[in-house]
C-alpha cells in the first residue's frame, strides 16, 4: 500500500488543446470502469461535521414542485430536526420566479438561524444584486470543471473558463456575498490539472477578501467510489484528500454533493466526511435530479453514528415522512430505511419468533424511542387472535388515524382471519403472511375498518374542487364586482375547467350579480336563478356566518339531474370584509377524471 503525502503544495493550470475524457474509465459504449493503482489516503475526519439541504433546489428537479406553503412547513421541520446545534446548517432556494421568492419569504419570516437560507444562481452579475436584495448572505454558483463540460458543452478551454469563474467570484465578493462554487462533474475532471489550480486561486481570493469562498464537490453523474486504492477522478477519498490535505483548502469550506446513479450516493457522502469534507449536502428522502441526492434522514443517522451526538430529535424524521405521505402525496417505498411503512417489520417466521423473545435480536435499534416507530411483526401461525388484532391496529389507516376504534381479539372477524391463517400453515406454508394478504382478509371479514373506493374518490374530488375554487376566488377581476368584468373572466374559467357546470357570484343580499354556465343550450335551465334570492341556501349562510369556504356533499342537480357538488368561497375587500360569495357547481363525473394523485401544486398551476 502506498500513501499520498499530505504536504501542502502549489498546482499550476494544465492547458490542453483536446479534452481529457478519461476513456479508460468512461468508455461510454460500455459500463464505466473502476481502476486501481494501490495508492491510499488516510482518514481525516474534521473536528466538526454538519449537513446542508437541497430539498428546495435539486430536490425539486425530479418531482412536481412544492407549493410555497408546503416549503414553509418543510423548512420548519428541517429546523426542528437541526436541533440546538444547527446540524442542518443551510438550505438552498431557486430565486427567479415569483413562486420561488414567495416560498423564500415565508421561510425567512420564521426567523430561524438554522437552516440558513441560501440561493443558487446563474453566473450573472445582475443575479448577485437579486441575491442581496432578498437579504441572502450566500449563493451557489455553477462552475463546471470537467472537460466534458468545458470543451463539449461550453465550447471553451480551461484557461478561459478558469478566468471566467474567477471573475464571477470577484463580482460576488464585491457585492458582499459569500460565493459557493459548485464544481460540477468533479468525478470526471482533471483534479491536478484544473480543479486544484482553480481552487488555489479561489483560496487566494478568499484570503485577500477575508471572506469564505466555499467549494461544493459535485459528483454530478454518481461516478464516485470509495474503494481503497481506486484512482482519480472517481476516488472520493483521494478527491477530498487532494483538496483538503494536499492543497490546504479548509474542511469547513468543502461540501460534498452526490448523485445515486450507481447506488453509491450515501456511502460516497459519508466517505467525503471521513476524508476531510465538513459539509454533506442532502435532500429529504433523497429526491434529486435523475436518481437523487444523499438522503437527509440517512445523513442524520450517519452523523450520530460518527459523532455520538444524541441530542438530535430523530422522531422528526418520522414526522417529515408522515407529512410527505399525507400532504405531498409522496410514494415512499414500504421498505425504505427509517421512513418506509414496513422498514422495521420482520416477515420471516423465525425472525418473528425471535422478536417475541427479545426485540433487540432483529431490530436495528430502539425504533420506537428514536423514530416513534414500534417494531412490527408479520402474522404467522403463532400470532394467535391477539397478534392478528395487534397487527391490524398497527397497519389499518383508519385505526391509526383515530377514525376507527382499535380492534381486540374478541372483535368480530378476527377469529375468521385466524382460521384462514391457520389453514395456510396446515397446508405447509413456512413464510409469514404478507401485508397484502392480511389486508385482503381484513377487508373481507372487517370491512368497516376501510374506506370504500367511492369514499376515497369523493374526498379526492372535493380536494380538487376546493383547489380550483380557491384559485378562482383570488382573481382580481372578482374584486371589482362589476358584472361585465366578472362575466368575461368567469367565462374563460368555465371554458378551461371542464368539471364546472355553473359558476356564479352572489352579493351579500343574496342576489346573483354574475352567472356563467358551461353547456350550450342550458341557458333556459338556469335563467330563473338570476332573480332568485339565496339567503336561505346552506352554502350562502355558511360562508357569511363563518367566513370560511364551504363544500357540499354530493347531490343531484335540480336543473340538469347531474351528480354535482357545490364549493362556495367568500370574496373580500382589502380590509377583509366579505363583499360577495362565489359558488361553483362541479360535475362529479368530470371531477373523477381529474383524480390522479397529482400534488396540490400541479392542480393549482393548472387552475391558473
Amino acid at each position: 500500500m502506498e500513501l499520498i503525502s499530505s504536504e501542502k503544495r502549489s498546482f499550476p493550470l494544465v492547458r490542453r488543446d483536446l479534452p481529457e475524457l478519461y476513456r479508460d474509465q468512461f468508455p461510454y459504449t460500455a459500463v464505466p470502469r473502476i481502476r486501481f493503482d494501490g495508492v491510499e489516503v488516510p482518514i481525516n475526519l474534521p473536528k466538526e461535521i454538519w449537513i446542508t439541504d437541497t430539498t428546495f433546489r435539486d430536490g425539486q428537479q425530479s418531482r412536481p414542485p412544492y407549493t410555497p406553503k408546503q416549503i414553509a412547513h418543510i423548512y420548519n421541520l428541517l429546523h426542528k430536526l437541526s436541533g440546538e446545534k444547527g446540524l442542518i446548517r443551510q438550505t438552498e432556494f431557486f430565486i427567479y420566479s415569483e413562486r420561488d421568492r414567495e416560498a423564500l419569504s415565508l421561510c425567512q419570516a420564521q426567523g430561524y438561524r438554522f437552516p440558513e437560507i441560501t440561493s443558487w444562481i446563474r453566473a450573472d452579475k445582475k443575479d448577485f444584486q437579486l441575491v442581496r436584495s432578498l437579504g441572502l448572505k450566500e449563493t451557489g454558483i455553477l462552475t463546471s470543471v470537467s472537460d466534458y463540460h468545458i470543451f463539449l458543452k461550453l465550447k471553451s478551454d480551461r484557461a478561459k473558463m478558469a478566468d471566467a469563474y474567477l471573475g464571477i467570484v470577484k463580482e460576488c465578493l464585491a457585492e458582499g456575498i459569500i460565493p459557493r462554487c459548485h464544481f460540477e462533474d468533479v468525478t470526471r475532471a482533471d483534479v491536478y490539472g484544473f480543479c486544484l489550480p482553480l481552487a488555489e486561486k479561489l483560496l487566494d481570493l478568499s484570503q485577500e477578501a477575508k471572506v469564505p469562498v466555499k467549494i461544493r464537490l459535485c459528483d454530478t453523474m454518481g461516478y464516485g467510489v470509495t474503494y481503497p486504492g481506486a484512482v482519480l477522478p472517481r476516488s472520493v477519498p483521494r478527491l477530498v484528500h487532494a483538496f483538503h490535505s494536499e492543497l490546504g483548502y479548509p474542511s469547513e469550506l468543502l461540501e460534498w454533493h452526490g448523485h445515486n446513479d450507481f447506488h453509491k450516493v450515501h456511502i460516497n457522502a459519508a466517505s467525503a466526511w471521513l476524508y476531510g469534507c465538513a459539509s454533506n449536502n442532502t435532500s429529504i428522502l433523497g429526491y434529486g435530479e435523475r436518481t437523487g441526492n444523499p438522503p437527509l434522514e440517512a445523513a442524520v443517522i450517519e452523523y450520530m453514528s460518527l459523532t455520538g451526538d444524541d441530542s438530535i430529535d430523530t422522531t422528526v424524521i418520522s414526522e417529515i415522512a408522515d407529512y410527505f405521505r399525507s400532504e405531498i402525496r409522496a410514494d415512499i417505498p414500504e421498505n425504505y430505511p427509517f421512513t418506509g411503512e414496513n422498514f422495521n417489520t420482520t416477515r420471516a417466521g423465525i425472525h418473528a419468533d425471535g422478536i417475541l423473545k427479545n426485540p433487540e435480536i432483529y431490530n436495528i435499534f430502539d425504533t420506537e424511542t428514536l423514530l416513534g416507530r414500534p417494531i412490527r411483526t408479520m402474522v404467522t401461525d403463532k400470532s394467535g387472535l391477539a397478534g392478528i388484532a395487534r397487527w391490524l391496529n398497527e397497519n389499518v389507516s383508519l385505526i391509526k388515524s383515530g377514525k376507527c376504534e382499535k380492534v381486540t381479539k374478541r372483535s368480530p372477524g378476527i377469529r375468521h382471519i385466524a382460521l384462514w391463517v391457520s389453514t395456510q400453515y396446515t397446508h405447509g406454508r413456512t413464510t409469514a403472511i404478507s401485508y397484502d394478504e392480511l389486508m385482503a382478509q381484513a377487508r373481507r371479514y372487517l370491512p368497516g375498518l376501510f374506506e370504500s373506493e367511492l369514499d376515497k374518490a369523493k374526498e379526492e374530488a372535493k380536494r380538487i374542487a376546493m383547489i380550483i375554487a380557491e384559485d378562482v376566488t383570488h382573481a382580481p377581476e372578482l374584486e371589482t364586482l362589476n358584472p361585465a368584468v366578472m362575466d368575461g373572466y368567469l367565462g374563460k374559467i368555465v371554458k378551461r375547467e371542464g368539471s364546472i357546470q355553473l359558476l356564479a357570484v352572489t352579493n351579500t343580499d343574496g342576489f346573483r350579480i354574475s352567472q356563467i354556465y358551461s353547456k350550450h343550450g342550458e341557458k333556459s335551465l338556469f335563467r330563473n336563478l338570476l332573480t332568485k334570492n339565496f339567503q336561505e341556501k346552506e352554502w350562502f349562510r355558511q360562508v357569511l356566518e363563518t367566513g370560511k369556504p364551504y363544500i357540499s356533499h354530493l347531490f343531484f342537480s335540480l336543473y340538469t339531474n347531474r351528480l354535482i357538488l357545490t364549493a362556495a368561497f367568500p370574496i373580500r375587500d382589502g380590509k377583509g370584509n366579505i363583499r360577495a360569495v362565489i359558488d361553483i357547481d362541479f360535475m362529479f363525473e368530470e371531477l373523477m377524471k381529474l383524480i390522479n394523485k397529482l400534488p396540490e401544486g400541479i392542480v393549482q398551476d393548472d387552475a391558473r
Side-chain angles (χ1 to χ4, degrees):
M1 177 182 73
E2 181 183 349
L3 290 176
I4 289 182
S5 170
S6 296
E7 183 179 346
K8 308 294 188 299
R9 54 197 179 97
S10 183
F11 299 90
L13 180 73
V14 176
R15 299 171 183 266
R16 291 181 62 96
D17 294 327
L18 296 174
E20 172 58 87
L21 303 180
Y22 296 101
R23 284 302 183 204
D24 63 321
Q25 297 184 59
F26 308 109
Y28 191 62
T29 54
V31 173
R33 308 310 192 206
I34 301 172
R35 304 298 184 189
F36 297 87
D37 62 6
V39 176
E40 297 184 26
V41 295
I43 286 178
N44 189 8
L45 182 67
K47 291 182 180 179
E48 187 179 8
I49 58 175
W50 57 82
I51 295 169
T52 59
D53 173 72
T54 189
T55 295
F56 309 130
R57 206 270 301 175
D58 208 333
Q60 289 198 99
Q61 295 182 166
S62 65
R63 50 155 289 113
Y66 306 113
T67 67
K69 289 182 180 179
Q70 288 171 340
I71 288 175
H73 187 84
I74 295 168
Y75 177 74
N76 183 60
L77 292 173
L78 289 173
H79 171 72
K80 287 181 65 176
L81 186 57
S82 293
E84 294 182 359
K85 298 179 181 178
L87 171 58
I88 305 171
R89 293 286 174 91
Q90 296 178 320
T91 184
E92 59 185 327
F93 285 69
F94 288 121
I95 58 174
Y96 292 109
S97 73
E98 182 179 335
R99 183 192 185 105
D100 294 332
R101 292 190 289 273
E102 180 186 353
L104 188 147
S105 178
L106 289 173
C107 294
Q108 287 177 318
Q110 297 183 50
Y112 297 140
R113 181 184 176 191
F114 299 116
E116 178 190 357
I117 296 171
T118 72
S119 65
W120 181 94
I121 61 170
R122 299 178 293 258
D124 188 299
K125 188 174 183 178
K126 294 179 181 178
D127 290 350
F128 295 135
Q129 296 168 0
L130 176 60
V131 172
R132 191 168 65 170
S133 72
L134 293 171
L136 304 181
K137 298 178 181 179
E138 178 177 323
T139 188
I141 305 168
L142 179 62
T143 48
S144 302
V145 292
S146 76
D147 284 355
Y148 284 85
H149 285 244
I150 292 171
F151 284 83
L152 305 185
K153 178 184 176 182
L154 300 174
K155 306 299 181 183
S156 188
D157 62 50
R158 293 181 177 183
K160 289 179 182 178
M161 291 312 303
D163 287 342
Y165 295 152
L166 292 171
I168 292 165
V169 170
K170 289 177 183 177
E171 291 177 354
C172 188
L173 292 171
E175 292 289 341
I177 300 167
I178 296 173
R180 184 181 63 244
C181 300
H182 292 205
F183 274 33
E184 194 80 7
D185 206 25
V186 72
T187 48
R188 281 196 299 185
D190 186 345
V191 175
Y192 291 103
F194 183 76
C195 297
L196 294 185
L198 175 60
E200 187 174 3
K201 296 293 185 182
L202 293 174
L203 192 56
D204 290 342
L205 289 177
S206 175
Q207 293 169 346
E208 179 183 334
K210 294 181 173 55
V211 175
V213 176
K214 299 181 180 181
I215 293 178
R216 176 179 289 182
L217 302 172
C218 300
D219 183 15
T220 306
M221 305 300 292
Y223 287 126
V225 296
T226 60
Y227 307 131
V231 303
L232 287 169
R234 297 190 67 180
S235 172
V236 176
R238 288 173 68 171
L239 185 62
V240 176
H241 182 275
F243 277 86
H244 176 54
S245 299
E246 296 180 58
L247 175 61
Y249 223 93
S251 288
E252 62 271 19
L253 300 183
L254 291 175
E255 180 182 36
W256 180 263
H257 171 93
H259 283 265
N260 201 32
D261 297 78
F262 293 91
H263 288 286
K264 294 181 173 64
V265 70
H266 175 66
I267 190 59
N268 283 344
S271 295
W273 264 341
L274 288 175
Y275 288 90
C277 209
S279 185
N280 185 350
N281 189 237
T282 66
S283 177
I284 290 176
L285 299 173
Y287 282 126
E289 178 74 5
R290 297 188 318 281
T291 55
N293 304 125
L296 180 139
E297 59 281 359
V300 170
I301 300 299
E302 195 79 25
Y303 162 84
M304 296 172 72
S305 297
L306 289 171
T307 65
D309 181 0
D310 292 323
S311 67
I312 306 301
D313 181 4
T314 44
T315 62
V316 180
I317 292 175
S318 298
E319 191 176 347
I320 290 172
D322 290 342
Y323 181 77
F324 268 71
R325 264 188 288 263
S326 62
E327 298 298 327
I328 307 297
R329 296 174 175 266
D331 291 323
I332 304 175
E334 289 185 355
N335 64 342
Y336 197 76
F338 310 133
T339 59
E341 282 286 356
N342 295 319
F343 89 92
N344 61 341
T345 299
T346 183
R347 289 174 171 79
I350 191 171
H351 290 181
D353 182 62
I355 283 176
L356 291 174
K357 294 175 180 176
N358 189 324
E360 194 171 349
I361 297 172
Y362 287 113
N363 202 16
I364 56 174
F365 47 69
D366 186 349
T367 54
E368 182 170 11
T369 297
L370 295 177
L371 295 172
R373 297 284 301 277
I375 188 171
R376 293 177 176 179
T377 59
M378 297 301 286
V379 169
T380 69
D381 56 336
K382 297 180 177 60
S383 298
L385 299 176
I388 292 172
R390 175 185 171 184
W391 186 94
L392 291 172
N393 290 331
E394 291 175 346
N395 289 276
V396 174
S397 297
L398 291 184
I399 296 178
K400 289 166 61 180
S401 65
K403 294 179 180 178
C404 283
E405 292 185 1
K406 290 184 177 182
V407 296
T408 71
K409 65 181 181 180
R410 295 181 178 83
S411 297
I414 296 293
R415 189 169 298 279
H416 294 291
I417 297 173
L419 179 61
W420 178 85
V421 170
S422 176
T423 302
Q424 294 290 306
Y425 289 95
T426 300
H427 293 161
R429 181 167 185 154
T430 59
T431 59
I433 306 298
S434 72
Y435 176 92
D436 290 338
E437 288 176 302
L438 207 54
M439 278 296 183
Q441 295 302 313
R443 287 180 181 276
R444 179 180 180 184
Y445 295 113
L446 294 164
L449 298 180
F450 300 90
E451 288 182 298
S452 70
E453 292 304 312
L454 178 59
D455 289 334
K456 293 179 182 178
K458 286 192 291 187
E459 290 305 310
E460 182 69 2
K462 287 181 179 181
R463 184 184 76 89
I464 294 172
M466 289 290 278
I467 291 171
I468 295 173
E470 185 173 14
D471 192 81
V472 171
T473 302
H474 291 114
E477 290 86 348
L478 298 188
E479 296 177 5
T480 66
L481 294 188
N482 183 329
V485 176
M486 291 191 297
D487 285 357
Y489 171 72
L490 296 180
K492 292 178 182 178
I493 296 298
V494 168
K495 288 180 180 179
R496 188 178 67 202
E497 300 295 341
S499 57
I500 295 176
Q501 171 178 281
L502 180 72
L503 204 165
V505 177
T506 305
N507 64 25
T508 52
D509 293 328
F511 290 102
R512 288 276 160 87
I513 54 178
S514 180
Q515 177 175 291
I516 304 294
Y517 51 90
S518 64
K519 303 293 184 182
H520 292 294
E522 293 185 351
K523 184 175 182 179
S524 60
L525 296 178
F526 302 111
R527 184 179 292 117
N528 72 316
L529 297 179
L530 291 171
T531 57
K532 184 176 180 178
N533 189 283
F534 291 88
Q535 284 184 330
E536 298 304 315
K537 288 292 184 181
E538 183 180 7
W539 56 265
F540 185 81
R541 287 191 296 101
Q542 286 288 336
V543 172
L544 287 187
E545 290 172 6
T546 67
K548 297 179 181 180
Y550 166 91
I551 192 158
S552 72
H553 296 295
L554 290 175
F555 64 96
F556 285 99
S557 169
L558 292 174
Y559 302 95
T560 64
N561 288 322
R562 298 189 189 104
L563 190 61
I564 64 173
L565 58 86
T566 296
F569 280 73
I571 298 176
R572 301 179 184 272
D573 60 20
K575 296 181 180 180
N577 300 313
I578 297 177
R579 300 182 62 203
V581 177
I582 182 170
D583 65 286
I584 308 176
D585 288 345
F586 288 95
M587 296 176 282
F588 182 66
E589 183 179 355
E590 298 302 318
L591 275 179
M592 290 283 287
K593 297 174 183 177
L594 295 177
I595 296 177
N596 51 14
K597 294 188 177 180
L598 280 179
E600 182 178 315
I602 294 298
V603 179
Q604 286 179 331
D605 284 345
D606 289 345
R608 293 189 182 95

